[in-house]
Amino acid sequence: MKNIDILCVGEVLIDFIGHQKDVQINNTRDYHRYLGGSPTNVAMNSARLGLNSRMVASIGDDGFGEYVFERLNEVGVNTESIFKIDKTPTSVIFVSRTQNTPEFIPYREADFVILEKQIPTELLSVTNIFHTTCFALSKNPAQTTILKKAEEAFNLGCQLSIDINYADELWANKEEALRVIKAYCKFNPLIKISEDDMLRFFERTLPHNDIFKFFHNEGVDTICLTLGSKGVKLSQKNKELIQLPAIKVENVMDATGAGDAFWSGFLFAYIKEKPVEECLKVALQLAALKLQNVGRLPDNIDILSKLL
């Protein structure tokens, strides 16, 4: 019996999101604290949608670490696999508040100290989806741990998932990023990418079909490309491309976390064994809700779970 719907492995961060709207960090005067990190957002959103989600991460033995536990436990995320690292602060990231992809400055400390003992075989054997991010894979020991455990999860019949939230400043070099991403793709994960991610990754604007072809050639069946206000495209091997428009949002409050909200909705519907187009529709609803809220999603997202 697979009683863990989604195991989220990767970065827990304290996000300081700018209070001033539509300015970059150099013009941001003050910040508001939120719990962040892409897999953390997915774990929290999933728990609030009624799924059994568990977080594998590392934090400092400090006040921010206490805040992490409080916030995750508050929404029902299982925190038993979160380790406290002595004499190492909880990682912090400063983020601009914009309608588009935000600017960020990371101060990484505990987040990448993820060890194999945090993900025992017994845990993987009861897991439905193993989800991680490009951010989490960018530094050792987390990188080595995640790749090894992803292979083990795949061999145990888990569905893998990854948000390829690529950023140059997180990686030693592009060659390493390419090697690691290709290694993860061998396990046929569900892939979520954005146009901005792909521009940074390939260092040029590629036709969408070329992006899909790249990942299909690496052994991936399903690739979801988010296009911001232009909606989403989903490519599956040997199937017709699916394209859906975004839900119109009149007043965008904050784009931070919209991609995580989208992917939480997609994985939620996927776990419920819905057709892929329905997974996209749920994902778009959740992303639209996030765009209308600064920080976390509103409390009523469990309404979506009742629709399925």
Side-chain angles (χ1 to χ4, degrees):
M1 175 67 180
K2 297 200 169 188
N3 57 12
I4 295 172
D5 291 310
I6 182 162
L7 188 71
C8 293
V9 184
E11 67 276 15
V12 167
L13 308 167
I14 303 298
D15 277 351
F16 284 95
I17 299 177
H19 186 65
Q20 285 72 40
K21 197 174 175 184
D22 295 328
V23 295
Q24 297 292 49
I25 283 175
N26 63 339
N27 285 317
T28 302
R29 293 192 307 278
D30 43 30
Y31 295 83
H32 200 290
R33 179 188 68 175
Y34 298 95
L35 183 55
S38 176
T40 309
N41 291 336
V42 171
M44 292 179 76
N45 294 341
S46 299
R48 292 171 63 210
L49 284 165
L51 297 180
N52 186 351
S53 73
R54 183 165 175 148
M55 189 77 211
V56 177
S58 292
I59 57 173
D61 190 3
D62 53 23
F64 284 148
E66 287 173 25
Y67 172 69
V68 168
F69 274 118
E70 282 171 20
R71 292 284 292 106
L72 290 174
N73 287 325
E74 195 179 274
V75 297
V77 175
N78 186 316
T79 57
E80 290 171 42
S81 301
I82 298 179
F83 279 22
K84 285 183 182 176
I85 309 298
D86 282 342
K87 298 176 183 171
T88 304
T90 301
S91 296
V92 167
I93 188 163
F94 287 84
V95 188
S96 63
R97 186 176 161 203
T98 65
Q99 294 194 32
N100 303 307
T101 301
E103 180 189 12
F104 70 93
I105 302 175
Y107 294 89
R108 298 186 68 183
E109 297 285 353
D111 75 272
F112 58 87
V113 190
I114 296 175
L115 310 174
E116 285 184 34
K117 62 183 177 181
Q118 289 173 259
I119 319 172
T121 302
E122 308 85 76
L123 186 59
L124 295 176
S125 66
V126 295
T127 293
N128 191 340
I129 290 180
F130 179 105
H131 172 68
T132 193
T133 64
C134 205
F135 189 117
L137 284 166
S138 64
K139 260 185 134 165
N140 272 314
Q143 180 188 106
T144 301
T145 296
I146 293 169
L147 286 178
K148 184 173 180 181
K149 290 298 179 174
E151 182 172 15
E152 192 178 341
F154 176 74
N155 290 331
L156 285 166
C158 288
Q159 171 63 60
L160 270 66
S161 161
I162 185 169
D163 184 341
I164 302 188
N165 52 353
Y166 178 81
D168 275 331
E169 53 265 58
L170 299 174
W171 289 84
N173 55 66
K174 182 65 65 70
E175 292 70 29
E176 184 193 17
L178 193 59
R179 175 184 64 79
V180 170
I181 289 167
K182 283 185 171 187
Y184 196 87
C185 284
K186 285 191 177 73
F187 312 124
N188 190 18
L190 298 166
I191 283 186
K192 184 253 174 206
I193 50 179
S194 72
E195 274 189 311
D196 290 332
D197 296 330
M198 291 301 91
L199 180 59
R200 289 190 292 264
F201 186 57
F202 292 110
E203 296 181 329
R204 64 189 190 278
T205 302
L206 284 180
H208 295 163
N209 283 345
D210 288 359
I211 294 170
F212 292 137
K213 195 179 294 180
F214 171 84
F215 287 105
H216 285 317
N217 287 342
E218 294 302 324
V220 178
D221 286 340
T222 302
I223 304 119
C224 190
L225 173 63
T226 59
L227 309 169
S229 61
K230 298 191 291 293
V232 62
K233 285 183 179 179
L234 184 132
S235 178
Q236 293 175 290
K237 261 187 187 169
N238 306 319
K239 291 188 181 177
E240 201 172 320
L241 188 78
I242 298 171
Q243 181 165 9
L244 293 176
I247 295 168
K248 193 163 171 57
V249 175
E250 295 296 338
N251 184 23
V252 174
M253 295 296 291
D254 178 32
T256 305
D260 300 332
F262 175 93
W263 201 233
S264 303
F266 185 92
L267 293 178
F268 168 73
Y270 184 89
I271 286 168
K272 299 294 183 187
E273 300 180 344
K274 298 300 173 185
V276 74
E277 191 160 338
E278 194 166 343
C279 294
L280 288 175
K281 287 175 181 175
V282 173
L284 288 165
Q285 282 182 275
L286 221 54
L289 261 179
K290 175 61 201 73
L291 290 169
Q292 297 168 69
N293 292 270
V294 179
R296 59 176 265 177
L297 281 158
D299 289 329
N300 63 346
I301 65 164
D302 60 330
I303 291 169
L304 280 181
S305 64
K306 296 180 177 70
L307 298 178
L308 291 187

